[in-house]
């Protein structure tokens, strides 16, 4: 019989799942930017999706999409204020801004702003403070075209600035680091994956078994992420998110009703990782990077995923080890698995049918 406190906790988890069903897996919302340097001018193009942003911002974007001039001017003002380019310690002046033509059936909004820079263009400092308006969960994934080379950078609330050397390209390592940090954040804020990982850990296992679980997920994640980002295999986002939720429920159900073979759970993790890899691929495709640029971002992102998972396991394992030494172990495994099962089932229904 379920105690009232346990039932209340389960209901709260289900409510949380409903509230975060759209954005839980993605670890936040993304905007896609293209920065093009041409002589003393910089063209900045930003594409946003209303469904991925907070309600107030989403409403503004929908009005922009519908042709509301006041909302359009407000969005352009935000970009002019929060995106900065600096050359030789002098800020480039934001100038003409426009809304790219709206495509029928596409909800995204794309704005273009021109910046005029003074002085010799040897080094360009790019700063993104859009998080101050779009929220702390927002990221800008940027492609920077300069000096006949292209690189990519992930702007986050913790990595708001990058330097591009125009006469000798030396910024690749910094761009790689930004995607490593994004991979770590993707795991730590993607609580549906954390639920799946926790469900796998509940039944215990030695260090070797746990290492297999983590590595199998990252390997599978890397395979499908690369295939999808290169447009070799692309699945509908709705299907991917629904299967991810189903996988969470399946692992929890196995804990409750079967006796899982812990040594083989890396296979479950691998299968889940194959699906999970499609979840981030759309972001990299939107950047329009060449294969070489994709390799850098893919490597950095997956390295961050591995680091993030290791951090989670390092925190969770000592706690689970302490619980297993008490008489509460069986109850903890049962109640936690039941909660995970309910959340996974709710996510699956919402993602598959609503």
């Amino acid at each position: 019989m379920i105690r009232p406190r346990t039932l209340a906790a389960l209901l709260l988890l289900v409510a949380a799942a409903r509230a975060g069903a759209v954005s839980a897996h993605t670890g936040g919302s993304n905007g896609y930017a293209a920065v093009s340097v041409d002589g003393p001018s910089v063209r900045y193009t930003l594409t946003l999706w209303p469904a991925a942003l907070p309600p107030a911002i989403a409403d503004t974007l929908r009005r922009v999409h519908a042709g509301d001039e006041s909302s359009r001017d407000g969005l352009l003002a935000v970009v002019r204020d929060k995106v900065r380019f600096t050359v030789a310690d002098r800020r480039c002046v934001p100038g003409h801004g426009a809304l790219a033509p709206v495509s029928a059936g596409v909800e995204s909004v794309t704005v273009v702003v021109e910046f005029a820079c003074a002085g010799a263009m040897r080094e360009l400092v790019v700063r993104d403070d859009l998080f101050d308006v779009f929220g702390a969960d927002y990221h800008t994934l940027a492609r920077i075209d300069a000096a006949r080379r292209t690189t990519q950078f992930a702007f986050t609330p913790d990595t708001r600035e990058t330097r591009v050397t125009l006469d000798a390209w030396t910024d690749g390592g910094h761009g790689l680091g930004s995607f490593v940090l994004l991979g770590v954040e993707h795991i730590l804020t993607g609580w549906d994956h954390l639920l799946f990982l926790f469900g796998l850990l509940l039944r215990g296992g030695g260090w070797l078994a746990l290492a297999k679980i983590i590595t199998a997920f990252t390997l599978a994640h890397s395979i499908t992420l690369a295939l999808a980002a290169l447009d070799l295999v692309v699945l509908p986002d709705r299907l991917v998110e629904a299967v991810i939720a189903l996988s969470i429920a399946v692992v929890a159900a196995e804990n409750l009703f079967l006796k899982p073979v812990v040594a083989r759970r890396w296979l479950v993790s691998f299968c889940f990782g194959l699906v999970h890899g499609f979840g981030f691929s759309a972001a990299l495709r939107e950047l329009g990077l060449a294969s070489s640029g994709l390799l850098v971002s893919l490597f950095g992102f997956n390295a961050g995923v591995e680091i993030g998972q290791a951090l989670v396991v390092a925190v969770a394992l000592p706690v689970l080890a302490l619980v297993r030494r008490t008489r509460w172990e069986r109850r903890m495994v049962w109640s936690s698995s039941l909660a995970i099962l309910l959340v996974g089932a709710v996510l699956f229904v919402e993602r598959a049918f609503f």
Side-chain angles (χ1 to χ4, degrees), residues 250-319:
V250 167
V251 169
E254 188 181 29
N255 285 342
L256 288 170
F257 306 117
L258 300 174
K259 187 176 181 180
V261 180
V262 175
R264 296 179 184 172
R265 279 207 145 179
W266 66 270
L267 287 171
V268 180
S269 181
F270 184 84
C271 293
F272 178 81
L274 288 174
V275 179
H276 187 92
F278 289 103
F280 190 74
S281 60
L284 296 182
R285 289 200 308 273
E286 289 293 335
L287 289 178
L289 297 172
S291 298
S292 58
L294 275 175
L295 289 177
V296 173
S297 55
L298 285 171
F299 176 80
F301 181 78
N302 282 295
V305 167
E306 188 82 4
I307 293 170
Q309 288 187 126
L311 291 173
V312 171
V313 172
V315 172
L317 279 188
V319 176

Side-chain angles (χ1 to χ4, degrees), residues 87-113:
V87 174
D89 295 326
R90 296 178 63 182
R91 183 177 177 182
C92 300
V93 179
H96 175 72
L99 180 69
V102 176
S103 301
V106 178
E107 294 184 355
S108 62
V109 171
T110 299
V111 296
V112 182
V113 177

Side-chain angles (χ1 to χ4, degrees), residues 105-323:
V106 178
E107 294 184 355
S108 62
V109 171
T110 299
V111 296
V112 182
V113 177
E114 304 283 351
F115 291 80
C117 305
M121 292 279 283
R122 295 190 176 90
E123 184 179 68
L124 179 69
V125 179
V126 185
R127 182 175 179 84
D128 186 326
D129 290 317
L130 289 171
F131 324 96
D132 297 339
V133 177
F134 295 160
D137 291 333
Y138 170 81
H139 318 92
T140 302
L141 305 183
R143 186 187 78 238
I144 304 173
D145 298 317
R148 298 181 300 279
R149 291 178 181 266
T150 297
T151 190
Q152 61 280 336
F153 193 84
F155 291 97
T156 73
D158 297 322
T159 54
R160 297 185 176 217
E161 190 173 286
T162 187
R163 293 176 179 269
V164 179
T165 302
L166 302 180
D167 52 2
W169 196 255
T170 59
D171 193 53
H174 191 36
L176 173 64
S178 72
F179 276 86
V180 172
L181 293 176
L182 187 63
V184 173
E185 184 179 353
H186 178 73
I187 288 299
L188 298 184
T189 60
W191 58 265
D192 55 354
H193 170 66
L194 294 181
L195 281 178
F196 175 82
L197 185 60
F198 184 62
L200 289 174
L201 298 178
L202 280 175
R203 284 292 191 173
W207 284 103
L208 180 58
L210 296 174
K212 287 181 179 179
I213 289 172
I214 296 173
T215 304
F217 171 81
T218 304
L219 178 60
H221 183 280
S222 303
I223 292 171
T224 51
L225 178 54
L227 291 174
L230 292 169
D231 278 330
L232 297 177
V233 179
V234 180
L235 296 180
D237 291 340
R238 188 183 187 93
L239 173 63
V240 170
E241 295 298 327
V243 174
I244 288 172
L246 182 62
S247 299
I248 297 171
V250 167
V251 169
E254 188 181 29
N255 285 342
L256 288 170
F257 306 117
L258 300 174
K259 187 176 181 180
V261 180
V262 175
R264 296 179 184 172
R265 279 207 145 179
W266 66 270
L267 287 171
V268 180
S269 181
F270 184 84
C271 293
F272 178 81
L274 288 174
V275 179
H276 187 92
F278 289 103
F280 190 74
S281 60
L284 296 182
R285 289 200 308 273
E286 289 293 335
L287 289 178
L289 297 172
S291 298
S292 58
L294 275 175
L295 289 177
V296 173
S297 55
L298 285 171
F299 176 80
F301 181 78
N302 282 295
V305 167
E306 188 82 4
I307 293 170
Q309 288 187 126
L311 291 173
V312 171
V313 172
V315 172
L317 279 188
V319 176
L320 292 174
L322 288 175
V323 173

Side-chain angles (χ1 to χ4, degrees), residues 22-98:
V22 173
S23 60
H25 172 67
T26 59
S29 56
N30 297 317
Y32 307 106
V35 178
S36 179
V37 180
D38 184 13
S41 301
V42 177
R43 169 172 289 187
Y44 180 81
T45 304
L46 178 66
T47 301
L48 301 167
W49 276 262
L53 291 166
I57 304 299
D59 289 342
T60 298
L61 289 178
R62 291 187 181 99
R63 289 195 295 270
V64 171
H65 193 278
D68 183 73
E69 293 185 2
S70 176
S71 300
R72 179 202 61 194
D73 293 342
L75 179 59
L76 288 171
V78 167
V79 173
R80 290 190 183 102
D81 180 52
K82 296 301 181 180
V83 177
R84 300 185 182 186
F85 298 95
T86 305
V87 174
D89 295 326
R90 296 178 63 182
R91 183 177 177 182
C92 300
V93 179
H96 175 72

